[in-house]
Amino acid sequence: MSLFRLDASILPATSVSHALADIVEAEWTTAHPDSVVTRRDVARDPVPATAWADAVTGGFVDETQRSESQVAARALATSLADELVSAEALLFAVPLYNYGVSQHVKTWFDLAYTDSRIDPTGTALQGKPATLVTVLGGNYAPGTPKEGWDHSTAWLRRVLEDVWGLDLRVVQRPFTLVGVNPALDAFADVARELKESAEDAARTHGRAVTASRGSAA
């Protein structure tokens, strides 16, 4: 049994997404104490920004005609896809940054997506259990002043659920900047409730992913 975990926080020492993902991972390792957890931190070890273009253009020429950078990019794409395909379950911890998806995650996805097993025609990830942990500094829920400003979660769900076909569960915690940004102090009680709810969801979804994988094994 194996779990692949991707982290994208640029502040790992204080990362809320890390902490929530730790809860999900703990449920997995409790159920599968001998399992392997493969980790990729795309903020600490980012995928090169030029790799996607090199991988794409490298696909248009014969292998013997590829440049060194094209060969390296396509090899890296294969490695990224290997991590996803070989894992029994997947865990993604992705904060919202500047109202959009993390640049590190987008670069990682674009490169991995060039691998034929998980490209537009690939089905290697279809039905695989996965959990997405996403955290938001503010609150962008319906009825809030910035409703609709979260342009990350919908994109992540689109590529993970609809493109890769994962059996996805989502843990989301808004208002993580309450207690950090004084302008949000009035929302302390709401933020506390949202924190507890997200932690409960992380435990629930962690157990659900474990059960799903166990029943499929």
Side-chain angles (χ1 to χ4, degrees), residues 56-193:
V56 171
T57 56
F60 296 147
V61 298
D62 185 81
E63 292 184 17
T64 61
Q65 301 300 314
R66 291 172 184 163
S67 67
E68 289 185 9
S69 61
Q70 288 172 332
V71 171
R74 292 185 70 83
L76 179 55
T78 298
S79 178
L80 299 182
D82 282 344
E83 292 175 343
L84 296 165
V85 173
S86 63
E88 296 288 333
L90 309 173
L91 172 59
F92 306 94
V94 186
L96 171 73
Y97 286 139
N98 297 326
Y99 312 112
V101 67
S102 158
Q103 64 168 330
H104 299 113
V105 173
K106 182 64 164 62
T107 304
W108 165 84
F109 172 83
D110 285 343
L111 184 58
Y113 196 40
T114 65
D115 187 280
S116 60
R117 293 167 292 174
I118 57 175
D119 71 3
T121 63
T123 59
L125 301 181
Q126 192 76 34
K128 186 165 292 193
T131 301
L132 167 65
V133 171
T134 183
V135 301
L136 321 171
N139 191 350
Y140 309 98
T144 62
K146 289 189 175 179
E147 175 184 351
W149 284 46
D150 171 12
H151 298 288
S152 174
T153 305
W155 182 86
L156 289 165
R157 296 197 71 141
R158 180 70 71 187
V159 298
L160 298 177
E161 284 187 300
D162 299 334
V163 175
W164 279 346
L166 297 176
D167 178 13
L168 187 69
R169 296 164 177 83
V170 179
V171 177
Q172 186 178 85
R173 181 185 160 191
F175 267 158
T176 60
L177 287 180
V178 173
V180 178
N181 183 348
L184 299 176
D185 286 351
F187 302 103
D189 291 341
V190 174
R192 189 178 305 108
E193 293 176 1

Side-chain angles (χ1 to χ4, degrees), residues 22-40:
D22 285 345
I23 294 174
V24 178
E25 181 182 329
E27 293 293 340
W28 174 268
T29 55
T30 296
H32 308 293
D34 298 323
S35 67
V36 174
V37 179
T38 300
R39 306 177 192 279
R40 181 170 289 275

